Amino acid sequence: MSQSTTTAPPEPGAPAPAPAKAASPLGNGLKQRHLSMIALGGVIGAGLFVGSGAGIAAAGPSIVLAYAASGLLVMFVMRMLGEMSAANPASGSFSVHAERAVGPWAGFTAGWMFWTLLVVGVAIEAIGAAHILAGWFPGTPSWMWVLVLMVVFTVANLGAVARFGEFEFWFAALKIGAIALFLGLGVLAVLGLLPGTSSPGAGNLLHDGGFLPNGVDGLLVGLLASVVAYGGLETVTIAAAESEDPVKGVAKAVKTTMWRIAIVYVGSMLVIVTLLPWNDPAVTEHGPYAATLDHLGIPAAGQIMNVVILIALLSAMNANIYGSSRMAYSLVARGQGPKALGKVSGGVPRRAVLASAGFGFVTVLLSYWYPDTLFAWLLNMVGGVILIVWGFIAVSQFVLRRRLEREAPQKLVVKMWGFPYLTWVALAGVAGVLVLMALGEDTRTQVVFTGGLTAALAATGYAMQRRAARG
């Protein structure tokens, strides 16, 4: 779809007509099982398997509280996003909602910020996966594996959307299976029912400094680490627009994901800090999951976790290429990007796929050529993007909920709990985390760079909006 074939978006405050699914040139090959797995698998990434170690080292056993608090915030955000996406499914998801609620500049800002986050993410995941594969095949260069992976997942996303759905379905199934096995073994060990182990009781939770060994400061560091690990859920609302029944699909996926987040994240952290001393060097050196499996005497625990981490990285690569291409397509279709990327063939925006994957590959090259300058700059620039996006989601839901209650209450298939109070709580939570990042020495740079990106995109989007209004 090109810019010339799309209708102008409604002005903020105007009635919001529902987009007709039948009119979309995109495919609709995703099934409910795909959406459910995308929603659940999207939160299980390398950030959980490896990155959580730094959070445990900082917060100690109180990491459980950190993940519970940030998990509650994510539940609120996804509930709000689910409400809007079930009412008006769109491949641009929160970008479309922000445009309808606040104005074209808001949709432009949220959409291109998220696109930048995803394509930089592709580079990070490709580099991590290549490092694992190069270790398994000594003598092979990492760049070769990056090239192979980029080609494989670009080709996968150039095909029908059902192919992306199948990739993500099986990736998610393997990750969920690994987590389920880990939790099962962990619970048995905590209870003293696993052969060769005895129950640790509450010793590791209360000794070595107690539940809050580094005080509130340590808890806050753990909170920041946990927020980053929750990224990825938003993709399901983008994918829902290409499903057989978008309204039913996104409603069910969002509803069933809520309690599973608690089990996967909070449950895992509780098992780990119960079985292992929080200050065990292996937690950060080998990752908390591998360290726990080693502690339980599971053979080849390190290699098992390498396989799981590789699957998580490949899944994230696949999802990020998909999500970035659909976000780019949606922006272009609304006149907020290069018209050349708007062409759809076979139900797939192939030019948007190639552009998104291509930019991701360029980012990989930057990581090799300028690891301490340009690539570090990119990493800092996207450090707080997800929080800005969550802020747009909260503001959009507040505005659109009022509008839907007046004009189309029958569309409220999914409702945000405790509206408007919990919407305000979520917005305050997002602002609070950004303030904490600004106060922290290690995260302040990310806030500055992300703020600069937000301001630049907002100014560009507002200028485009003014120019369009003048005709």
Side-chain angles (χ1 to χ4, degrees), residues 117-141:
L117 172 66
L118 294 185
V119 295
V120 173
V122 169
I124 297 170
E125 290 130 13
I127 294 166
H131 179 73
I132 293 174
L133 289 168
W136 289 348
F137 299 93
T140 57

mmCIF file of all heavy atoms in Angstrom, residues 117-141:
data_model
loop_
_atom_site.group_PDB
_atom_site.id
_atom_site.type_symbol
_atom_site.label_atom_id
_atom_site.label_comp_id
_atom_site.label_asym_id
_atom_site.label_seq_id
_atom_site.Cartn_x
_atom_site.Cartn_y
_atom_site.Cartn_z
ATOM 1 N N LEU A 117 14.435 0.338 17.982
ATOM 2 C CA LEU A 117 14.730 -0.634 19.037
ATOM 3 C C LEU A 117 14.831 -2.044 18.466
ATOM 4 O O LEU A 117 15.755 -2.802 18.797
ATOM 5 C CB LEU A 117 13.630 -0.574 20.101
ATOM 6 C CG LEU A 117 13.666 -1.647 21.193
ATOM 7 C CD1 LEU A 117 14.900 -1.478 22.065
ATOM 8 C CD2 LEU A 117 12.403 -1.608 22.043
ATOM 9 N N LEU A 118 13.900 -2.412 17.583
ATOM 10 C CA LEU A 118 13.876 -3.770 17.051
ATOM 11 C C LEU A 118 15.058 -4.052 16.136
ATOM 12 O O LEU A 118 15.660 -5.128 16.212
ATOM 13 C CB LEU A 118 12.567 -4.024 16.304
ATOM 14 C CG LEU A 118 11.287 -4.017 17.143
ATOM 15 C CD1 LEU A 118 10.086 -4.417 16.286
ATOM 16 C CD2 LEU A 118 11.394 -4.957 18.340
ATOM 17 N N VAL A 119 15.413 -3.114 15.266
ATOM 18 C CA VAL A 119 16.512 -3.395 14.333
ATOM 19 C C VAL A 119 17.857 -3.418 15.056
ATOM 20 O O VAL A 119 18.753 -4.189 14.674
ATOM 21 C CB VAL A 119 16.535 -2.396 13.155
ATOM 22 C CG1 VAL A 119 15.291 -2.563 12.296
ATOM 23 C CG2 VAL A 119 16.674 -0.960 13.617
ATOM 24 N N VAL A 120 18.015 -2.610 16.094
ATOM 25 C CA VAL A 120 19.232 -2.709 16.907
ATOM 26 C C VAL A 120 19.237 -4.032 17.657
ATOM 27 O O VAL A 120 20.279 -4.687 17.808
ATOM 28 C CB VAL A 120 19.337 -1.519 17.887
ATOM 29 C CG1 VAL A 120 20.504 -1.716 18.853
ATOM 30 C CG2 VAL A 120 19.520 -0.211 17.120
ATOM 31 N N GLY A 121 18.040 -4.458 18.098
ATOM 32 C CA GLY A 121 17.919 -5.750 18.764
ATOM 33 C C GLY A 121 18.333 -6.898 17.866
ATOM 34 O O GLY A 121 18.954 -7.873 18.320
ATOM 35 N N VAL A 122 18.003 -6.828 16.585
ATOM 36 C CA VAL A 122 18.414 -7.862 15.633
ATOM 37 C C VAL A 122 19.932 -8.022 15.653
ATOM 38 O O VAL A 122 20.459 -9.146 15.661
ATOM 39 C CB VAL A 122 17.931 -7.513 14.204
ATOM 40 C CG1 VAL A 122 18.594 -8.431 13.175
ATOM 41 C CG2 VAL A 122 16.426 -7.645 14.110
ATOM 42 N N ALA A 123 20.645 -6.903 15.688
ATOM 43 C CA ALA A 123 22.113 -6.958 15.719
ATOM 44 C C ALA A 123 22.618 -7.620 16.988
ATOM 45 O O ALA A 123 23.506 -8.486 16.949
ATOM 46 C CB ALA A 123 22.684 -5.549 15.602
ATOM 47 N N ILE A 124 22.054 -7.219 18.117
ATOM 48 C CA ILE A 124 22.494 -7.784 19.400
ATOM 49 C C ILE A 124 22.280 -9.287 19.431
ATOM 50 O O ILE A 124 23.148 -10.067 19.860
ATOM 51 C CB ILE A 124 21.744 -7.103 20.553
ATOM 52 C CG1 ILE A 124 22.081 -5.603 20.596
ATOM 53 C CG2 ILE A 124 22.066 -7.758 21.888
ATOM 54 C CD1 ILE A 124 21.221 -4.807 21.538
ATOM 55 N N GLU A 125 21.114 -9.721 18.962
ATOM 56 C CA GLU A 125 20.790 -11.153 18.987
ATOM 57 C C GLU A 125 21.636 -11.941 17.992
ATOM 58 O O GLU A 125 22.084 -13.060 18.283
ATOM 59 C CB GLU A 125 19.298 -11.339 18.705
ATOM 60 C CG GLU A 125 18.434 -10.856 19.865
ATOM 61 C CD GLU A 125 17.325 -9.918 19.403
ATOM 62 O OE1 GLU A 125 17.073 -9.828 18.177
ATOM 63 O OE2 GLU A 125 16.722 -9.252 20.264
ATOM 64 N N ALA A 126 21.867 -11.362 16.810
ATOM 65 C CA ALA A 126 22.683 -12.042 15.809
ATOM 66 C C ALA A 126 24.107 -12.239 16.311
ATOM 67 O O ALA A 126 24.705 -13.312 16.125
ATOM 68 C CB ALA A 126 22.689 -11.243 14.499
ATOM 69 N N ILE A 127 24.659 -11.223 16.960
ATOM 70 C CA ILE A 127 26.024 -11.311 17.499
ATOM 71 C C ILE A 127 26.091 -12.366 18.601
ATOM 72 O O ILE A 127 27.020 -13.181 18.649
ATOM 73 C CB ILE A 127 26.479 -9.941 18.021
ATOM 74 C CG1 ILE A 127 26.613 -8.950 16.861
ATOM 75 C CG2 ILE A 127 27.802 -10.055 18.768
ATOM 76 C CD1 ILE A 127 26.725 -7.515 17.301
ATOM 77 N N GLY A 128 25.104 -12.371 19.489
ATOM 78 C CA GLY A 128 25.086 -13.353 20.578
ATOM 79 C C GLY A 128 24.961 -14.771 20.056
ATOM 80 O O GLY A 128 25.667 -15.688 20.515
ATOM 81 N N ALA A 129 24.073 -14.991 19.086
ATOM 82 C CA ALA A 129 23.891 -16.328 18.522
ATOM 83 C C ALA A 129 25.141 -16.780 17.777
ATOM 84 O O ALA A 129 25.552 -17.948 17.871
ATOM 85 C CB ALA A 129 22.685 -16.334 17.588
ATOM 86 N N ALA A 130 25.772 -15.856 17.029
ATOM 87 C CA ALA A 130 26.987 -16.201 16.290
ATOM 88 C C ALA A 130 28.118 -16.591 17.236
ATOM 89 O O ALA A 130 28.912 -17.494 16.934
ATOM 90 C CB ALA A 130 27.413 -15.024 15.411
ATOM 91 N N HIS A 131 28.190 -15.935 18.379
ATOM 92 C CA HIS A 131 29.232 -16.259 19.371
ATOM 93 C C HIS A 131 29.069 -17.695 19.871
ATOM 94 O O HIS A 131 30.055 -18.433 20.004
ATOM 95 C CB HIS A 131 29.148 -15.280 20.534
ATOM 96 C CG HIS A 131 30.153 -15.537 21.617
ATOM 97 N ND1 HIS A 131 31.499 -15.255 21.484
ATOM 98 C CD2 HIS A 131 30.001 -16.082 22.866
ATOM 99 C CE1 HIS A 131 32.132 -15.611 22.582
ATOM 100 N NE2 HIS A 131 31.248 -16.110 23.431
ATOM 101 N N ILE A 132 27.831 -18.109 20.129
ATOM 102 C CA ILE A 132 27.579 -19.480 20.593
ATOM 103 C C ILE A 132 27.938 -20.477 19.496
ATOM 104 O O ILE A 132 28.621 -21.488 19.741
ATOM 105 C CB ILE A 132 26.108 -19.645 21.017
ATOM 106 C CG1 ILE A 132 25.814 -18.809 22.266
ATOM 107 C CG2 ILE A 132 25.789 -21.119 21.286
ATOM 108 C CD1 ILE A 132 24.353 -18.798 22.676
ATOM 109 N N LEU A 133 27.503 -20.213 18.263
ATOM 110 C CA LEU A 133 27.753 -21.142 17.160
ATOM 111 C C LEU A 133 29.244 -21.237 16.842
ATOM 112 O O LEU A 133 29.756 -22.329 16.541
ATOM 113 C CB LEU A 133 26.975 -20.692 15.926
ATOM 114 C CG LEU A 133 25.457 -20.873 16.021
ATOM 115 C CD1 LEU A 133 24.755 -20.129 14.896
ATOM 116 C CD2 LEU A 133 25.094 -22.355 15.992
ATOM 117 N N ALA A 134 29.960 -20.113 16.908
ATOM 118 C CA ALA A 134 31.409 -20.140 16.662
ATOM 119 C C ALA A 134 32.130 -20.965 17.731
ATOM 120 O O ALA A 134 33.149 -21.603 17.452
ATOM 121 C CB ALA A 134 31.953 -18.717 16.627
ATOM 122 N N GLY A 135 31.596 -20.953 18.954
ATOM 123 C CA GLY A 135 32.169 -21.773 20.010
ATOM 124 C C GLY A 135 31.949 -23.259 19.787
ATOM 125 O O GLY A 135 32.784 -24.091 20.162
ATOM 126 N N TRP A 136 30.833 -23.601 19.174
ATOM 127 C CA TRP A 136 30.549 -25.003 18.871
ATOM 128 C C TRP A 136 31.336 -25.508 17.662
ATOM 129 O O TRP A 136 31.592 -26.702 17.531
ATOM 130 C CB TRP A 136 29.055 -25.189 18.593
ATOM 131 C CG TRP A 136 28.195 -25.054 19.814
ATOM 132 C CD1 TRP A 136 28.608 -25.020 21.116
ATOM 133 C CD2 TRP A 136 26.769 -24.941 19.851
ATOM 134 N NE1 TRP A 136 27.544 -24.885 21.962
ATOM 135 C CE2 TRP A 136 26.388 -24.836 21.214
ATOM 136 C CE3 TRP A 136 25.777 -24.894 18.886
ATOM 137 C CZ2 TRP A 136 25.076 -24.704 21.613
ATOM 138 C CZ3 TRP A 136 24.453 -24.769 19.281
ATOM 139 C CH2 TRP A 136 24.105 -24.680 20.638
ATOM 140 N N PHE A 137 31.667 -24.592 16.764
ATOM 141 C CA PHE A 137 32.399 -24.968 15.549
ATOM 142 C C PHE A 137 33.698 -24.163 15.487
ATOM 143 O O PHE A 137 33.771 -23.136 14.800
ATOM 144 C CB PHE A 137 31.541 -24.705 14.306
ATOM 145 C CG PHE A 137 30.260 -25.482 14.283
ATOM 146 C CD1 PHE A 137 29.079 -24.935 14.780
ATOM 147 C CD2 PHE A 137 30.226 -26.773 13.775
ATOM 148 C CE1 PHE A 137 27.893 -25.645 14.769
ATOM 149 C CE2 PHE A 137 29.041 -27.490 13.750
ATOM 150 C CZ PHE A 137 27.870 -26.934 14.255
ATOM 151 N N PRO A 138 34.712 -24.598 16.229
ATOM 152 C CA PRO A 138 35.971 -23.853 16.305
ATOM 153 C C PRO A 138 36.563 -23.621 14.915
ATOM 154 O O PRO A 138 36.496 -24.482 14.036
ATOM 155 C CB PRO A 138 36.876 -24.779 17.136
ATOM 156 C CG PRO A 138 35.923 -25.628 17.921
ATOM 157 C CD PRO A 138 34.740 -25.826 17.038
ATOM 158 N N GLY A 139 37.113 -22.428 14.751
ATOM 159 C CA GLY A 139 37.729 -22.091 13.476
ATOM 160 C C GLY A 139 36.807 -21.361 12.526
ATOM 161 O O GLY A 139 37.259 -20.834 11.503
ATOM 162 N N THR A 140 35.509 -21.346 12.836
ATOM 163 C CA THR A 140 34.575 -20.611 11.979
ATOM 164 C C THR A 140 34.430 -19.185 12.505
ATOM 165 O O THR A 140 34.285 -18.969 13.713
ATOM 166 C CB THR A 140 33.190 -21.283 11.965
ATOM 167 O OG1 THR A 140 32.690 -21.375 13.304
ATOM 168 C CG2 THR A 140 33.278 -22.677 11.365
ATOM 169 N N PRO A 141 34.463 -18.196 11.614
ATOM 170 C CA PRO A 141 34.367 -16.801 12.063
ATOM 171 C C PRO A 141 32.932 -16.433 12.453
ATOM 172 O O PRO A 141 31.972 -16.923 11.847
ATOM 173 C CB PRO A 141 34.820 -16.007 10.837
ATOM 174 C CG PRO A 141 34.486 -16.891 9.677
ATOM 175 C CD PRO A 141 34.667 -18.304 10.161
#
